[in-house]
């Protein structure tokens, strides 16, 4: 489904601020894989998602989606198959457009947008049904502007917009980090359900080890632009937060030694 | 009596310039793009139409040509911005500067082309101008344009344009080619402006190289006045408001020029003054909540008007955020970003909407009465 080969990305190359964001990432995702990604700040997690989405061009390496090389495609052309939910609840929706208008923009992902009415009776019906699955009562407020919704509601709508057209790959970039624990839990439950029901291939960045273990069938641990540890479908169900912390501490020590030796 | 028929002429002018104001609405409000090309593309449209008419072409063809010429002007600004990656404000100023020479070329070096003796679109109805009949006819024409825009902004493509203007990052993540939507909108808007130029040239009986100076302000004033009166909650009211704003603006100038101590040459300072008054009033809490009380439809809505687009030409509108303001969010939500224990900033921050560079708008003085608390 998704294949990354030897991805390198350096920010501010050749300056004092040079930062090696990604250093040789190799990753192979099968259809239906749900990968959680953990790692400290600056580990390259978000950069990895941005690179997959096409927001950031890579310096080196190849990205393939469904065996199609997309390395050079701009973001809006990759968006045909890639959906995203951002950390900021305000980033994934258009605040001055109504809920149904936002959903309409999401519905036409990957299609040519011509002069068909954006909101038709049949589309409205579909939106109503999709919104009802969130269980937030938003199906009765489809004419309201999205900017009126709370952070949790907006994030739920973002998630719906990203997923209801069944994209090839769903990218979740700490999408519960800006929510309070209660709403984070709600959005997380929705995430789990949407991914399971539609069998989406997904990558989720999180800082919450417990979330990282509870969701998904695979886990990646990143540090300083590298994938330093992977848990597959076999190991992941057994792993605990303490295991992860242990792995992380040892990996950190190992890496800083290596950095020193370099 | 003279005052009354003069007012009707002012209303006529307001209706003609309403097309320009609608163009300005498209760029400033829908696209969030501070496009100053207007001052030049208006003259481009006027000059093109004047040349077509003096060469014996039909007025209809002249208007069409004026519209197309204006659209091409918009295309230049769009290319400077999308391909050249130049800031919208600067790109449009550059186009405006360059087009001055182009406009003179179109007019073969003459600063003024008279159409007094030529057959224009107004020749058949010349004696009816300044009457209710012509006002009604023009209102009908403007209504037609509004209906078309209303339909267009609700199509798949129209929604894509609105997404680009409202939240470019989101639009792009759903496959909207932002550069393309921007280009089309700029061409459309400046096409309307060129069209206005072509019609005004025939209405006045001449095309003048300096005829466009300050028109962007007239357009902005119309947009601000109209949206302050009718609100922006419903697209139809926003568009009708823009046309209404244009009429009010022209009437205000007309009446101001009637004041005993005012000379005709004071026109520009009066225009500037009206824009200042409109800008200041549209930000005033008292005026806006007063307007809200007057308007029944406002009371039904639970959203204070998001006037995030009170245009401040010196703020980086290009990078402007696509979010409601802090105050709005706070007044509506239980959710407070600051209370979250989780990390709320990303170290890469590439896609995070900029918290800085937000246009200075009327964030703090927004009326928040009658808003329902909403939460999950």
């Amino acid at each position: 489904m998704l294949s990354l080969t030897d991805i390198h990305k350096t920010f501010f190359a050749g300056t004092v601020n040079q930062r090696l964001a990604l250093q040789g990432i190799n990753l192979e995702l099968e259809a239906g894989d749900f990968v959680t990604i953990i790692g400290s700040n600056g580990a390259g997690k978000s950069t990895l998602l941005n690179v997959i989405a096409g927001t950031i061009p890579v310096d080196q390496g190849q990205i393939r989606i469904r065996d199609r090389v997309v390395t050079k495609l701009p973001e809006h052309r990759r968006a045909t198959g890639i959906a995203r939910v951002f950390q900021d609840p305000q980033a994934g929706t258009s605040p001055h457009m109504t809920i149904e208008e936002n959903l309409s923009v999401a519905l036409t992902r990957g299609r040519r947008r011509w002069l068909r009415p954006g909101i038709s009776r049949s589309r409205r019906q579909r939106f109503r049904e999709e919104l009802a699955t969130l269980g937030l009562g938003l199906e009765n407020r489809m004419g309201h502007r999205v900017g009126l919704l709370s952070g949790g509601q907006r994030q739920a709508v973002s998630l719906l917009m990203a997923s209801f057209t069944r994209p090839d790959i769903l990218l979740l970039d700490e999408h519960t980090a800006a929510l309070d624990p209660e709403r984070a839990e709600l959005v997380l439950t929705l995430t789990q359900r949407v991914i399971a029901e539609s069998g989406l291939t997904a990558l989720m960045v999180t800082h919450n080890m417990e979330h990282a273990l509870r969701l998904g069938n695979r886990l990646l641990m990143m540090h300083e632009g590298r994938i330093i540890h992977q848990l597959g479908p076999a190991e992941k169900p057994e792993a605990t937060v303490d295991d992860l912390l242990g792995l992380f501490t040892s990996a950190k020590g190992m890496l800083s030694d290596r950095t020193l030796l370099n | 009596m003279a005052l009354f028929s003069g007012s009707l002429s002012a209303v006529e002018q307001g209706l003609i310039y309403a097309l320009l104001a609608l163009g300005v609405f498209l760029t400033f409000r829908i696209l969030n793009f501070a496009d100053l090309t207007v001052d030049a593309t208006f003259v481009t449209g006027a000059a093109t139409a004047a040349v077509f008419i003096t060469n014996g072409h039909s007025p209809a063809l002249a208007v069409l040509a004026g519209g197309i010429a204006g659209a091409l002007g918009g295309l230049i600004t769009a290319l400077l911005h999308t391909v050249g990656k130049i800031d919208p404000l600067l790109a449009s100023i550059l186009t405006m500067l360059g087009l001055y020479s182009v406009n003179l070329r179109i007019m073969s070096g003459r600063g003024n082309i008279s159409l007094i003796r030529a057959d224009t679109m107004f020749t058949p109805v010349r004696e009816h101008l300044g009457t209710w009949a012509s006002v009604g006819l023009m209102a009908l024409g403007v209504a037609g344009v509004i209906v078309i825009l209303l339909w267009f902004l609700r199509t798949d493509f129209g929604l894509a344009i609105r997404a680009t203007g409202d939240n470019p990052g989101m639009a792009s993540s759903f496959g909207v080619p932002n550069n393309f939507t921007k280009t089309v909108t700029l061409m459309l808007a400046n096409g309307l402006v060129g069209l206005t130029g072509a019609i005004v040239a025939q209405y006045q009986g001449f095309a003048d190289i300096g005829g466009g100076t300050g028109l962007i302000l007239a357009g902005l004033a119309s947009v601000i006045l109209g949206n302050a009166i009718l609100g922006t909650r419903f697209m139809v009211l926003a568009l009708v408001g823009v046309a209404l704003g244009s009429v009010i603006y022209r009437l205000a100038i007309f009446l101001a020029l009637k004041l005993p101590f005012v000379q005709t040459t004071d026109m520009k300072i009066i225009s500037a003054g009206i824009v200042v008054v409109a800008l200041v009033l549209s930000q005033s809490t008292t005026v806006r909540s007063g307007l809200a009380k007057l308007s029944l439809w406002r009371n039904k809505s639970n959203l204070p008007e998001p006037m995030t687009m009170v245009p401040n030409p010196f703020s980086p509108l290009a990078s402007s955020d696509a979010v409601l303001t802090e105050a709005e969010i706070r007044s509506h939500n239980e959710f407070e970003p600051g209370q979250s224990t989780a990390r709320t900033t990303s170290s890469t921050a590439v896609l995070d909407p900029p918290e800085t560079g937000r246009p200075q708008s009327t964030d703090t003085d927004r009326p928040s009465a009658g808003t329902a608390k909403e939460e999950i």
Side-chain angles (χ1 to χ4, degrees), chain A residues 84 94-95 118 141 145 174, chain B residues 154 166 232 322 343 351 374:
Chain A
R84 308 190 67 177
S94 182
R141 298 172 57 190
R145 294 184 183 198
E174 291 184 58
Chain B
R154 285 177 178 161
D166 205 14
T232 54
R343 197 171 67 94
L351 265 169
E374 303 180 38

Side-chain angles (χ1 to χ4, degrees), chain A residues 50-71:
Chain A
N50 285 333
V51 155
I52 296 171
T55 323
I56 301 177
V58 295
D59 297 337
Q60 187 188 323
Q62 194 184 56
I63 305 165
R64 276 176 296 148
I65 298 171
R66 286 188 184 277
D67 292 324
R68 179 162 168 247
V69 178
V70 300
T71 319

Side-chain angles (χ1 to χ4, degrees), chain B residues 44 54 100 212:
Chain B
T44 311
T54 48
Y100 186 86

Side-chain angles (χ1 to χ4, degrees), chain A residues 19 41-42 46-47 50 55-56 75-76 79 82 84 86-88 90-97 101-102 104-106 108-110 113-119 123 136 141 143-145 147-154 161-162 174 177-180 183 186 207, chain B residues 151-160 162-163 166-167 169-178 232-234 302-308 322-324 328-329 332-337 340-348 350-353 355 358 374-376:
Chain A
R19 196 156 59 80
N41 290 346
S46 291
T47 309
N50 285 333
T55 323
I56 301 177
E75 183 190 10
H76 70 266
I82 299 181
R84 308 190 67 177
F86 303 93
Q87 177 184 354
D88 185 338
Q90 298 166 351
T93 46
S94 182
H96 294 126
M97 291 166 73
E101 286 169 343
N102 269 279
S104 178
V105 173
T108 45
R109 169 201 296 285
R113 293 180 172 92
W114 293 113
L115 297 177
R116 275 174 52 156
I119 313 278
R123 280 189 186 182
L136 299 174
R141 298 172 57 190
H144 288 220
R145 294 184 183 198
L148 280 174
L149 305 181
S150 71
Q153 288 171 325
R154 280 183 83 162
M161 286 168 63
E174 291 184 58
L179 307 177
D180 65 41
R183 283 170 197 119
L186 179 110
H207 272 286
Chain B
W151 162 80
F152 175 70
L153 290 173
R154 285 177 178 161
T155 61
D156 281 344
F157 190 70
L159 289 177
R162 289 167 59 193
D166 205 14
N167 188 347
M170 167 268 193
S172 175
S173 83
F174 286 103
V176 174
N178 284 335
T232 54
R233 176 160 157 73
F234 297 105
N302 49 3
L303 174 66
E305 283 311 307
M307 296 285 287
T308 48
V323 298
L324 290 186
E328 278 169 342
I329 301 288
H332 284 290
N333 299 334
E334 296 272 301
F335 164 70
E336 272 280 302
S340 168
T341 47
R343 197 171 67 94
T344 52
T345 51
S346 154
S347 49
T348 47
V350 172
L351 265 169
D352 290 349
E355 283 300 309
R358 161 172 302 171
E374 303 180 38
E375 56 182 318
I376 273 181

Side-chain angles (χ1 to χ4, degrees), chain B residues 187 207 217 258 348:
Chain B
M187 290 184 71
L217 278 182
K258 291 286 169 204
T348 47

